[in-house]
Amino acid sequence: MKKVTFIQMILLLGLSISSSQVFAQTEQAHKSTNKLETEKTSQATKQIPSLSTDVWQDEWANDWQETTELSPWKFGYFAEVAYGRFMQNNVVESNTSLSELRGRVNVDYSHELFEFTAKGDLLFDEVLQQTDVNTKELNIAFSPLNNLDVKLGRQVLTWGTGDYVFLNDLFNKDWQSFFSGRDDEYLKSASDSVRMTSYWRDFTLDLAWTPDFSPDNYLTGERFSFYSPILKRNIAPNENFIVEQTQDSQWSARLATSIQGVEYALYGYKGFWTTPLGINHQGMAYFPKMNAWGASALTPLSNGIFNVEFSIYNSLEDSQGNQAAIPNSQVRALMGYEQEIVKNLTVGLQYYLEKTQQYDAFIQSTLFQSTLFANEQVDEYRQLATVRLRYSTLQQKLVYSLFAFYSPTDQDSYLKPAIHYRYNDNYSFSAGANIFSGSKPYTFFGQHQANTNVWFRGRFSF
Amino acid sequence: MLNFLKKTRLITLSFLTLMTSAHAAVNVDDIIKKSNLASYYAGEDGSAQARMIIVDANGNKQMRQFTILRKDQEDLGDQDMLVFFSRPTDVQGTVFRVTKKVQGDDDRWLYLPALDLVKRISAGDKRTSFVGAHFYYEDVSGRNPAEDNFTFISSDDNSYLIKAEPKDPSSVEYAFYQITIDKNTYLPMKASYFNEQQEIIREMQVLAVQDIEGFPTVVHAKMTQLSDGSFTEMQFRNVKYNVGLPESIFSERSLRTPPKTWLR
């Protein structure tokens, strides 16, 4: 792969912006076709006496007159520069955890019968030394029946009640983005799916079908290291981390309703573990089959929101729990509460429990394979508590936030402090850190101590 | 001389008391009720396009543009609302849904399109900025009259001046506020919020009213923060009443799939 310098990046970004002007011109053309409509409206608005018209004397004032709402096209763009680095030595190739320049184009076309959405990134990623065009969304949405919505194509899918903790939401996540300080938007990756939502009385039934299995963007060592139980240290295999790919499909379903202000939902999933947790006979990592079902409830409770959710993960290839190379089934449960405790300060608390099924068989099988791993296994009841603090000030322009994961059973933690400053409608800046700590080198968060990083992002939206 | 002054003051005072009692015939609660109806409950339902310009103390400007759909469950009662943001680009596609409740906390939801996330949000403090503007959530959806005690101050040919004191002073940032209500339309044309020192800290002014389908409607208003001169102006256009919004559109479906027919 060719190394792209920052100057080349900027030049290329310039190109992408000038090509986006073509879109702007198309928008302009649409506006002029609406001119007649516009003249009518502006006559009507002239009657409004305005005492302070001066503040409207800018581009926007004209936009308002031109009734952009009537144009079926909508465009949005941003350019973002992001940089992050590790706070200590890490076994990965680069000391930078994030170094990239991104150009985004959003296009929406609204027709009476359908809605077309395209969102794409041109990304110059210096850490991975590659330039990519990433299609974030490319889909068409329509309602073939009165009570049926269909969305076809690349899309982001989300459900469930957890905050950064996912039980029944088994849609693909981008953990590399999450760990590196990219915008939350990038935690949810898109999948090529068909989503059908039907409405019957007070019930909503969602069915999502992903014909080609879409796994998470898990850690491979290209950006972050992870613990190897064999080598007893962190490794960064990167391209040597070979994973057997799966082509089969995933099905996800949700049945939701609301009874007296309480939102209930049932979930089902048929597919695979979304990270390659299994080891096949060739010693290669792969995605074992997994089905899941669960339920959730969410309700307002004394000025806040209370939620509970559980999910049962059936690891189909290890139903007895005695295959050391395949993850056991699990029961996952979550309880959460969020409230604005004082003006502009919101606090969210969550407690999460992950029970490994057939735990005895699980320990026996790992012991049988090697005593090396036995004492490094997760507890039968892995517990996790999270705290979210969010304080907004300067009329929501400045937001301080902290998200903390702490596991009393693993004795490890993950802190995500961040500051976000929205200077105006165009410029925003964010800075933060991903801080991992733990008393053991092999636990869920503890293994990432060397991945602790700080980051900065600046975005120009237009 | 001093005595004389005292006397005149006494006379003036008793005269004022007389006037007030004469005006007691003007039922304050009735005015407030009519004003609440005129401001927030015109028609059975309504739709409007709105925009705000937010100007900070240094003159920096921000913009917001959105479409509002509203349906009353009953006059002076609960209401359903949907707010669809179209500008600026970083909030485009964001939808805010509220069920305003006269008794108890409002239900609120936020849809973030980039994450395909429908987030139930806690009722929270209603006196916090609405999407970064100087208007509070409560200014947009209407403060529940049951939360204040109203007293009549004066009236002239065109308007009533009414004082409102919060029943729970700890729940608000002001000591009291005064509203000027138009005698014809019952629209509050001005609201001044005072601190303990009797200084105005915040002021809402109506800059333009239009008659729309027989409903006098505020189409331009301004909220000023007097401590630093920062302000937000809000304008409405394309205001329509009694459009026949179906109850079914006030649901999660509209967050993901905005009801196009009603947004034109």
Side-chain angles (χ1 to χ4, degrees):
Chain A
M1 255 166 285
K2 208 179 106 197
K3 189 175 165 106
V4 186
T5 64
F6 244 78
I7 296 185
Q8 282 174 304
M9 285 184 185
I10 289 161
L11 277 174
L12 272 164
L13 195 79
L15 266 176
S16 81
I17 290 170
S18 56
S19 65
S20 68
Q21 279 169 352
V22 180
F23 285 115
Q25 279 160 12
T26 336
E27 193 181 25
Q28 208 57 46
H30 264 280
K31 280 178 188 166
S32 57
T33 55
N34 292 325
K35 213 179 165 188
L36 246 170
E37 212 67 51
T38 310
E39 277 164 7
K40 276 189 233 160
T41 355
S42 58
Q43 270 175 9
T45 39
K46 265 177 201 158
Q47 295 161 5
I48 308 172
S50 178
L51 297 179
S52 54
T53 41
D54 55 330
V55 292
W56 302 106
Q57 294 309 313
D58 50 34
E59 211 182 314
W60 247 53
N62 300 327
D63 266 8
W64 178 261
Q65 303 293 330
E66 284 182 20
T67 62
T68 47
E69 237 70 30
L70 294 172
S71 165
W73 292 95
K74 268 187 202 150
F75 299 89
Y77 317 94
F78 71 73
E80 186 179 69
V81 57
Y83 184 78
R85 62 181 301 122
F86 295 115
M87 296 305 287
Q88 61 289 306
N89 285 331
N90 201 348
V91 291
V92 290
E93 216 169 277
S94 169
N95 255 332
T96 45
S97 48
L98 195 64
S99 176
E100 61 195 30
L101 202 55
R102 185 188 292 274
R104 160 66 75 86
V105 180
N106 293 344
V107 182
D108 282 281
Y109 179 77
S110 180
H111 184 270
E112 205 166 311
L113 298 174
F114 65 88
E115 201 78 25
F116 167 78
T117 305
K119 294 180 181 177
D121 281 350
L122 177 62
L123 177 68
F124 307 100
D125 188 330
E126 209 186 20
V127 176
L128 305 188
Q129 300 187 4
Q130 62 188 33
T131 301
D132 267 332
V133 174
N134 296 330
T135 310
K136 182 83 181 139
E137 281 187 50
L138 185 66
N139 60 63
I140 184 163
F142 53 99
S143 304
L145 299 168
N146 229 348
N147 59 350
L148 179 69
D149 292 338
V150 177
K151 201 183 222 183
L152 200 77
R154 185 161 298 181
Q155 57 189 299
V156 175
L157 294 157
T158 302
W159 60 46
T161 63
D163 186 6
Y164 285 165
V165 177
F166 303 96
L167 289 81
N168 290 297
D169 181 337
L170 284 149
F171 304 112
N172 47 331
K173 323 278 185 312
D174 183 347
W175 298 111
Q176 293 197 20
S177 291
F178 188 66
F179 281 10
S180 63
R182 283 190 188 130
D183 190 277
D184 270 358
E185 168 184 355
Y186 293 98
L187 167 60
K188 297 291 295 188
S189 348
S191 57
D192 296 331
S193 303
V194 183
R195 179 188 187 144
M196 285 182 290
T197 310
S198 52
Y199 307 88
W200 182 74
R201 294 194 178 178
D202 291 334
F203 292 92
T204 303
L205 178 67
D206 278 294
L207 262 179
W209 177 52
T210 308
D212 259 351
F213 172 63
S214 290
D216 290 351
N217 188 18
Y218 44 85
L219 307 194
T220 59
E222 59 180 4
R223 194 183 294 270
F224 298 106
S225 62
F226 56 90
Y227 184 74
S228 158
I230 297 160
L231 299 169
K232 300 279 170 210
R233 61 172 173 81
N234 266 35
I235 53 165
N238 195 357
E239 279 143 17
N240 299 323
F241 188 57
I242 300 160
V243 174
E244 186 192 336
Q245 297 305 316
T246 301
Q247 302 296 329
D248 282 344
S249 62
Q250 286 164 294
W251 287 89
S252 303
R254 180 186 72 146
L255 179 67
T257 191
S258 176
I259 303 165
Q260 291 182 329
V262 186
E263 293 168 14
Y264 299 95
L266 290 172
Y267 308 87
Y269 171 80
K270 185 178 178 295
F272 304 85
W273 290 87
T274 54
T275 50
L277 292 173
I279 310 282
N280 68 12
H281 297 304
Q282 291 84 46
M284 210 195 281
Y286 82 108
F287 304 93
K289 283 187 180 138
M290 197 263 276
N291 289 354
W293 68 276
S296 71
L298 186 145
T299 180
L301 185 78
S302 88
N303 292 321
I305 302 288
F306 175 75
N307 64 292
V308 284
E309 183 169 343
F310 79 86
S311 188
I312 291 167
Y313 286 17
N314 283 319
S315 195
L316 298 174
E317 297 172 34
D318 187 19
S319 52
Q320 302 302 312
N322 52 10
Q323 309 277 330
I326 301 166
N328 277 35
S329 297
Q330 290 178 350
V331 177
R332 296 182 169 200
L334 175 78
M335 201 161 62
Y337 185 69
E338 189 182 276
Q339 195 190 318
E340 184 179 356
I341 53 162
V342 288
K343 188 180 278 219
N344 295 321
L345 174 66
T346 305
V347 175
L349 302 169
Q350 292 183 118
Y351 172 76
Y352 166 82
L353 182 71
E354 185 184 285
K355 180 185 182 284
T356 301
Q357 302 285 70
Q358 291 107 14
Y359 193 74
D360 290 343
F362 166 69
I363 289 296
Q364 294 250 312
S365 66
T366 44
L367 261 176
F368 178 74
Q369 199 175 50
S370 166
T371 46
L372 270 176
F373 312 138
N375 63 346
E376 291 183 0
Q377 295 311 322
V378 70
D379 284 18
E380 183 174 5
Y381 294 92
R382 175 172 171 251
Q383 297 175 57
L384 188 64
T386 76
V387 178
R388 177 188 280 281
L389 296 173
R390 186 182 188 279
Y391 179 67
S392 79
T393 181
L394 297 183
Q395 225 145 328
Q396 300 174 356
K397 279 184 171 178
L398 183 61
V399 177
Y400 297 93
S401 69
L402 173 69
F403 197 94
F405 296 89
Y406 170 71
S407 169
T409 46
D410 283 353
Q411 292 177 334
D412 60 1
S413 65
Y414 174 20
L415 300 180
K416 283 176 82 72
I419 298 176
H420 180 75
Y421 180 61
R422 193 177 189 284
Y423 173 72
N424 60 21
D425 291 340
N426 298 124
Y427 294 96
S428 65
F429 306 94
S430 310
N434 291 286
I435 305 161
F436 300 91
S437 59
S439 56
K440 300 180 189 90
Y442 52 81
T443 55
F444 196 84
F445 296 123
Q447 65 179 306
H448 296 301
Q449 288 175 77
N451 290 327
T452 292
N453 62 76
V454 290
W455 55 268
F456 166 84
R457 284 190 277 117
R459 185 181 282 201
F460 175 64
S461 317
F462 54 106
Chain B
M1 181 69 180
L2 205 79
N3 237 339
F4 171 74
L5 266 178
K6 264 187 183 166
K7 257 185 197 161
T8 14
R9 198 192 283 172
L10 209 86
I11 293 163
T12 327
L13 267 174
S14 45
F15 182 65
L16 271 173
T17 325
L18 263 175
M19 264 190 52
T20 322
S21 52
H23 274 285
V26 181
N27 187 333
V28 178
D29 290 337
D30 197 48
I31 298 170
I32 293 300
K33 204 186 209 178
K34 283 180 178 160
S35 172
N36 195 18
L37 264 177
S39 316
Y40 299 105
Y41 292 90
E44 296 299 307
D45 62 29
S47 69
Q49 289 175 358
R51 68 167 178 177
M52 298 194 291
I53 181 164
I54 306 162
V55 183
D56 73 12
N58 302 319
N60 296 320
K61 293 172 196 164
Q62 290 185 76
M63 309 285 183
R64 303 286 182 269
Q65 193 168 316
F66 48 94
T67 303
I68 302 182
L69 301 181
R70 164 188 62 91
K71 188 179 176 72
D72 303 342
Q73 291 177 16
E74 61 174 320
D75 269 352
L76 296 176
D78 295 353
Q79 288 177 312
D80 286 304
M81 253 178 256
L82 286 167
V83 182
F84 300 87
F85 289 90
S86 49
R87 295 227 171 165
T89 48
D90 62 343
V91 297
Q92 192 179 92
T94 302
V95 187
F96 181 56
R97 180 187 162 207
V98 195
T99 301
K100 177 181 149 187
K101 291 178 174 172
V102 177
Q103 308 276 334
D105 287 332
D106 296 352
D107 286 331
R108 311 202 285 189
W109 293 263
L110 194 65
Y111 176 67
L112 304 170
L115 293 160
D116 180 47
L117 178 68
V118 176
K119 188 170 162 49
R120 182 92 175 242
I121 46 178
S122 54
D125 196 324
K126 290 179 195 170
R127 302 198 66 77
T128 53
S129 162
F130 174 69
V131 292
H134 292 78
F135 290 93
Y136 294 154
Y137 278 97
E138 207 167 62
D139 299 317
V140 178
S141 64
R143 179 169 168 80
N144 191 343
E147 292 189 54
D148 295 312
N149 288 316
F150 297 95
T151 42
F152 180 85
I153 300 175
S154 65
S155 75
D156 59 23
D157 291 348
N158 302 318
S159 57
Y160 304 107
L161 184 63
I162 288 170
K163 182 180 179 180
E165 286 167 293
K167 288 179 183 170
D168 175 11
S170 68
S171 68
V172 292
E173 77 295 344
Y174 58 81
F176 65 92
Y177 65 96
Q178 288 184 351
I179 3 166
T180 309
I181 296 173
D182 188 290
K183 276 187 169 174
N184 285 321
T185 63
Y186 284 95
L187 287 174
M189 301 302 286
K190 192 174 161 184
S192 308
Y193 298 80
F194 293 77
N195 62 11
E196 298 286 348
Q197 290 77 45
Q198 315 279 310
E199 298 158 344
I200 303 178
I201 47 173
R202 190 168 173 262
E203 194 161 66
M204 187 280 293
Q205 259 184 299
V206 169
L207 301 181
V209 173
Q210 242 183 351
D211 186 287
I212 292 161
E213 301 162 35
F215 298 102
T217 305
V218 173
V219 290
H220 192 176
K222 181 179 181 178
M223 185 69 85
T224 310
Q225 188 73 44
L226 278 101
S227 56
D228 60 4
S230 61
F231 63 91
T232 296
E233 282 192 37
M234 178 148 56
Q235 278 190 334
F236 294 96
R237 69 167 181 189
N238 219 348
V239 183
K240 292 177 211 156
Y241 293 111
N242 295 321
V243 285
L245 297 176
E247 210 181 305
S248 61
I249 64 164
F250 296 92
S251 64
E252 187 178 324
R253 185 182 192 177
S254 294
L255 302 181
R256 282 205 172 86
T257 315
K260 280 182 235 175
T261 332
W262 308 103
L263 293 173
R264 287 198 189 107

